[in-house]
């Protein structure tokens, strides 16, 4: 399904990361992979993962900095002049933004950082690499239901995800004529490093599990399989979409009765 496709994966922080589940699926379906890591703390870990997926392309990239994005793609261009898309699995808000009453908690700085790292970075990566993207490339990002509904403690990250979803549509419209598709996966809650900074995350997962139509939480492999489909030509007619991979949680209400 992905043989001959070269895909760059961002946002692996551990083997629990959604990006790790996506990597497993992309590799299983035949993609050739390259990876980025945010900082030196994550370097050796991502290098080890890369070996498992038969890749030697592991590049530093902090999406908060345009120089870092440019340097990463300059380096990538030396090994891959052209490639077929990337996975954007990056988000950040200061932890003091993700706990308590939304109005009291939000700050101008928290708003700016969360939107910069969690939404702007998606188009920033695209701006810096569009000349390297083959026709039939696919860009995939990760969002959450907090973009559409008010969810306790998710707070400003919900606004940033709403921005990311609009970004997905604007990017899809702008780059579609070049043959590139852009989609988002709205994942159900999964215990990862990023999720651990959200207060009462476990409680939220227990609730989800009990009311979700499929009566289980989704896994990084569920997300990975959908990402592989979105990167493949099987999804050639889909762009600008937000696809929920949440076991149907978003379509149901009243399941506690
Ligand atoms: O329940 C969940 N875990 C959900 C996550 C539900 C729905 C969506 N998502 C989204 C997240 O919001 C994010 O966009 O999925 C994406 C991946 O998140 P994840 O797999 O849950 O989290 P994690 O394994 O922590 O990876 C996110 C990584 C960072 O990890 P840490 O924990 O070190 O912050 O994003 C990276 C970093 O590696 N990251 C950056 N990368 C480059 N430059 C930056 C940055 N400035 N900031 C964060």
């Amino acid at each position: 399904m992905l043989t001959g496709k070269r895909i760059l994966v961002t946002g692996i922080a551990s083997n629990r990361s959604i990006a790790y589940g996506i990597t497993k699926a992309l590799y299983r379906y035949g993609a050739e992979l390259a990876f980025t890591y945010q900082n030196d703390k994550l370097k050796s870990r991502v290098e080890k993962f890369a070996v498992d997926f038969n890749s030697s392309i592991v590049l530093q990239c902090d999406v908060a900095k345009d120089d870092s994005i440019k340097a990463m793609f300059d380096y990538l261009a030396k090994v891959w002049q052209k490639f077929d898309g990337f996975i954007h699995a990056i988000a950040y808000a200061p932890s003091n933004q993700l706990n308590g009453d939304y109005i009291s908690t939000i700050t101008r700085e928290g708003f700016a950082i969360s939107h910069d790292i969690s939404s702007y970075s998606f188009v920033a990566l695209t701006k810096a690499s569009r000349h390297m993207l083959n026709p039939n490339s696919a860009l995939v990002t990760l969002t959450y239901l907090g973009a559409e509904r008010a969810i306790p403690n998710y707070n400003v990250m919900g606004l940033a995800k709403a921005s990311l979803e609009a970004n997905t549509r604007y990017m899809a419209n702008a780059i579609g004529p070049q043959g590139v598709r852009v989609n988002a996966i709205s994942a159900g809650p999964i215990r990862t490093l990023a999720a651990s900074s959200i207060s009462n995350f476990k409680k939220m997962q227990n609730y989800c599990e009990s009311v979700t139509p499929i009566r289980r939480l989704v896994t990084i492999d569920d997300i990975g399989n959908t990402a592989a489909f979105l990167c493949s030509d099987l999804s050639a007619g889909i762009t600008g979409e937000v696809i929920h991979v949440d076991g149907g949680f978003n379509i149901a209400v009243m399941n506690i009765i």
Side-chain angles (χ1 to χ4, degrees), residues 25 140 185 221-232 235 243-245:
V140 176
I185 296 173
D221 298 315
D222 292 321
I223 312 302
N225 287 331
T226 304
F229 163 71
L230 288 174
C231 286
S232 79
S235 60
I243 298 186
H244 293 87
V245 182

Side-chain angles (χ1 to χ4, degrees), residues 22-83:
I22 293 176
T23 297
K24 283 197 287 178
L26 296 177
Y27 184 69
R28 188 180 328 118
Y29 290 110
E32 204 180 318
L33 300 169
F35 298 90
T36 70
Y37 59 92
Q38 182 187 358
N39 52 37
D40 284 346
K41 230 171 56 189
L42 293 170
K43 183 177 182 193
S44 63
R45 197 184 291 176
V46 178
E47 279 174 347
K48 269 190 217 130
F49 290 144
V51 171
D52 297 342
F53 298 107
N54 202 20
S55 169
S56 55
I57 312 173
V58 181
L59 308 169
Q60 200 265 330
C61 181
D62 180 346
V63 296
K65 299 175 188 145
D66 285 335
D67 313 356
S68 176
I69 294 175
K70 184 177 180 308
M72 184 272 287
F73 282 120
D74 285 351
Y75 193 91
L76 185 66
K78 290 185 189 158
V79 267
W80 287 355
Q81 270 184 358
K82 294 273 179 181
F83 69 116

Side-chain angles (χ1 to χ4, degrees), residues 100-149:
D101 172 81
Y102 165 65
I103 298 171
S104 317
T105 302
I106 193 165
T107 61
R108 193 178 294 273
E109 196 194 358
F111 181 97
I113 295 176
S114 57
H115 283 69
D116 184 15
I117 307 301
S118 314
S119 177
Y120 179 70
S121 65
F122 189 32
V123 70
L125 289 172
T126 309
K127 228 173 150 60
S129 64
R130 81 186 289 183
H131 62 286
M132 293 168 66
L133 291 169
N134 284 321
N136 303 320
S137 287
L139 314 181
V140 176
T141 188
L142 276 308
T143 183
Y144 180 57
L145 188 63
E148 305 164 64
R149 313 273 162 81

Side-chain angles (χ1 to χ4, degrees), residues 11 13 17-18 38 61-63 89-91 142-143 161 187 189-190 192-194:
S17 294
I18 292 177
Q38 182 187 358
C61 181
D62 180 346
V63 296
I90 291 172
L142 276 308
T143 183
K161 291 299 193 191
I190 298 174
T192 61
L193 289 173

Side-chain angles (χ1 to χ4, degrees), residues 115-241:
H115 283 69
D116 184 15
I117 307 301
S118 314
S119 177
Y120 179 70
S121 65
F122 189 32
V123 70
L125 289 172
T126 309
K127 228 173 150 60
S129 64
R130 81 186 289 183
H131 62 286
M132 293 168 66
L133 291 169
N134 284 321
N136 303 320
S137 287
L139 314 181
V140 176
T141 188
L142 276 308
T143 183
Y144 180 57
L145 188 63
E148 305 164 64
R149 313 273 162 81
I151 297 180
N153 299 319
Y154 202 62
N155 296 348
V156 70
M157 189 54 90
L159 282 67
K161 291 299 193 191
S163 163
L164 179 67
E165 292 181 9
N167 209 347
T168 300
R169 292 184 283 273
Y170 274 84
M171 283 168 57
N173 198 37
I175 207 166
Q178 190 183 319
V180 177
R181 296 179 299 105
V182 187
N183 291 291
I185 296 173
S186 185
I190 298 174
R191 193 147 201 90
T192 61
L193 289 173
S196 62
S197 48
I198 301 164
S199 282
N200 287 320
F201 188 79
K202 185 71 200 149
K203 220 165 152 182
M204 194 165 116
Q205 276 193 313
N206 291 342
Y207 170 75
C208 274
E209 194 168 11
S210 65
V211 301
T212 290
I214 64 169
R215 295 293 190 276
R216 69 166 176 87
L217 295 169
V218 293
T219 65
I220 60 172
D221 298 315
D222 292 321
I223 312 302
N225 287 331
T226 304
F229 163 71
L230 288 174
C231 286
S232 79
D233 297 340
L234 290 179
S235 60
I238 303 176
T239 196
E241 283 292 334

